[in-house]
Amino acid sequence: MKFKKRTEQVQILVPPDFTPEIQKIEHRLDPLTGSRCLINIKRSQRAKQAERLARPLDEIAFGTAPGCYFCPEHIQTATPRFPEDICLGGRISKGESTLFPNLFAFGGYHAVATISRKHFLNIDEFTPRMIEDNLTVCIEWMRAVHRKTPRAAWPVYVWNHMPPSGASMVHPHTQALVRTMPTAMQERLLKRSAAYHRRKGRSFWEELIETERKSGERFIGENDSLAILASFAPRGFREIQLIFHEPSNLAELGEKQIADLASAVISVLKGYRAMGVGSFNLNVFSGPIGQTLEYYPLNAKMISRPYPQGVYSSDTGPFERLQDEWVIETLPEDVANRMRPFFR
Ligand SMILES: [Zn+2]
Ligand SMILES: [Zn+2]
């Protein structure tokens, strides 16, 4: 397995006395997809003018609570229901999680599932039980949808926390989709994984875990079900990969695997909190329901997003949106170093 990178040095004369400074830039390629990023960790020290106007997190968290549809006093009357042939009663609940249809769907089957009764939780305040219950209601719904519509076989699970991550609701929630076709990234990952397996006679993912475990540079930890590492060529800051040994798709996760995923996510969130993170995305990349693919294990990514503070500089500019090149200011090897203690 090759981790391709090219290093460049830029000399800048820095005011006020214009002393020379060398900045190191790494251009890296994702070993499976070829996705490109450039890493300049100096960028994290940029002056961000709008941050002078930052609002305290409490103000954003609690100022948004009145009238929230996801809070317990409104959820029964203000959120939509599924038809009875998908779930009796129109919603699925377990513990603090309640799943219901997304009012503004991306397609035929698109659900929202709350994670907590509380309107706001900081990222280190989630419990393993909350995440397990949330995953469980989403997976139960995915199985029901697939039984009703076998063509709906492509599950997606996302957790956007706080507005900088794309969340429109502050109240903790995830989204579950079951699509009749893969997302562009699902398709790319599956095609590349199949091609790798044909060419090398083994799974890219098994080899990735083995290579990273051996080198140790980006390896963070593992439990019975999955391995956790910092991506070599990230598409987001502090990008973490969670890679299962099996199964290939989300709908087949068992209780123990759900618990192991929840525990890994909790550890990442504690690590993120220690690094000053207040907003993040989690995305699960699943194979199709009903297929066991020896070349593709279920896997997920987490990335940190700008701190929620009213006005902030976006972490996504024209290079990411239009040039398809990811500008990163956190070095994966540093992220792994800082995350590792939370997996001991
Ligand atoms: Zn100006
Ligand atoms: Zn709420």
Side-chain angles (χ1 to χ4, degrees):
M1 177 164 301
K2 286 205 185 74
F3 294 108
K4 288 185 192 151
K5 70 174 180 185
R6 187 169 62 78
T7 304
E8 201 184 347
Q9 299 211 330
V10 178
Q11 195 190 61
I12 296 158
L13 304 179
V14 180
D17 36 15
F18 302 96
T19 39
E21 179 190 287
I22 303 286
Q23 288 191 12
K24 196 175 134 188
I25 295 147
E26 290 196 6
H27 301 267
R28 297 188 179 192
L29 291 183
D30 183 276
L32 183 66
T33 63
S35 172
R36 291 189 207 183
C37 73
L38 69 89
I39 305 173
N40 179 350
I41 57 171
K42 273 275 175 185
R43 287 181 61 79
S44 63
Q45 296 161 13
R46 275 179 302 157
K48 291 168 182 159
Q49 291 183 322
E51 293 192 349
R52 283 181 219 150
L53 308 173
R55 309 302 311 158
L57 185 57
D58 276 4
E59 204 174 287
I60 298 160
F62 301 107
T64 55
C68 170
Y69 297 153
F70 294 178
C71 276
E73 60 271 33
H74 296 121
I75 195 165
Q76 295 302 328
T77 51
T79 62
R81 291 186 193 168
F82 282 107
E84 300 276 316
D85 59 348
I86 292 180
C87 50
L88 289 174
R91 302 191 188 99
I92 304 175
S93 292
K94 187 169 198 282
E96 300 198 29
S97 269
T98 298
L99 174 141
F100 45 86
N102 189 326
L103 265 180
F104 308 99
F106 286 4
Y109 295 108
H110 189 169
V112 170
T114 55
I115 303 172
S116 62
R117 290 202 181 90
K118 275 183 90 170
H119 177 71
F120 172 76
L121 289 174
N122 219 322
I123 69 168
D124 58 346
E125 293 174 328
F126 293 97
T127 65
R129 174 50 64 85
M130 286 176 191
I131 296 174
E132 284 169 35
D133 288 346
N134 184 274
L135 280 162
T136 303
V137 295
C138 289
I139 289 170
E140 192 183 314
W141 172 78
M142 286 169 177
R143 290 174 183 157
V145 165
H146 182 66
R147 270 195 303 273
K148 183 181 176 226
T149 309
R151 260 181 346 111
W154 295 92
V156 177
Y157 175 85
V158 303
W159 179 2
N160 307 329
H161 185 65
M162 295 301 279
S165 72
S168 54
M169 301 288 281
V170 164
H171 195 121
H173 65 284
T174 61
Q175 297 180 51
L177 297 91
V178 189
R179 295 161 37 111
T180 53
M181 54 182 200
T183 64
M185 183 57 82
Q186 263 175 319
E187 186 174 79
R188 199 191 306 175
L189 290 172
L190 281 153
K191 274 191 180 157
R192 298 276 180 136
S193 299
Y196 193 95
H197 195 269
R198 268 196 311 274
R199 209 168 54 240
K200 302 272 181 94
R202 65 175 304 194
S203 156
F204 165 83
W205 302 90
E206 280 166 28
E207 196 179 333
L208 176 66
I209 293 171
E210 213 172 274
T211 310
E212 292 290 30
R213 194 192 285 122
K214 210 178 287 169
S215 98
E217 275 186 296
R218 288 169 296 273
F219 199 78
I220 293 170
E222 57 192 325
N223 57 36
D224 292 341
S225 307
L226 61 150
I228 299 96
L229 40 101
S231 312
F232 172 74
R235 291 166 71 94
F237 299 171
R238 303 178 185 84
E239 185 175 291
I240 305 293
Q241 277 188 289
L242 306 120
I243 307 168
F244 278 89
H245 300 297
E246 52 178 18
S248 300
N249 72 80
L250 192 54
E252 277 173 35
L253 278 192
E255 251 175 68
K256 162 75 170 144
Q257 290 161 318
I258 289 174
D260 284 346
L261 175 57
S263 127
V265 169
I266 291 285
S267 297
V268 171
L269 293 182
K270 290 196 188 312
Y272 273 176
R273 175 77 167 141
M275 296 179 212
V277 172
S279 178
F280 66 90
N281 297 105
L282 180 157
N283 257 256
V284 172
F285 303 100
S286 173
I289 301 178
Q291 290 187 38
T292 300
L293 307 170
E294 58 173 339
Y295 58 83
Y296 192 79
L298 183 67
N299 63 92
K301 278 184 174 180
M302 295 174 74
I303 55 175
S304 70
R305 302 302 303 271
Y307 198 80
Q309 54 185 10
V311 283
Y312 55 85
S313 297
S314 175
D315 58 1
T316 309
F319 259 62
E320 295 82 8
R321 298 295 296 265
L322 302 170
Q323 300 281 13
D324 203 12
E325 183 140 335
W326 298 79
V327 182
I328 302 294
E329 55 187 50
T330 53
L331 193 66
E333 294 71 23
D334 290 341
V335 173
N337 280 336
R338 298 186 65 182
M339 193 58 85
R340 230 169 263 128
F342 298 91
F343 281 83
R344 284 203 190 109

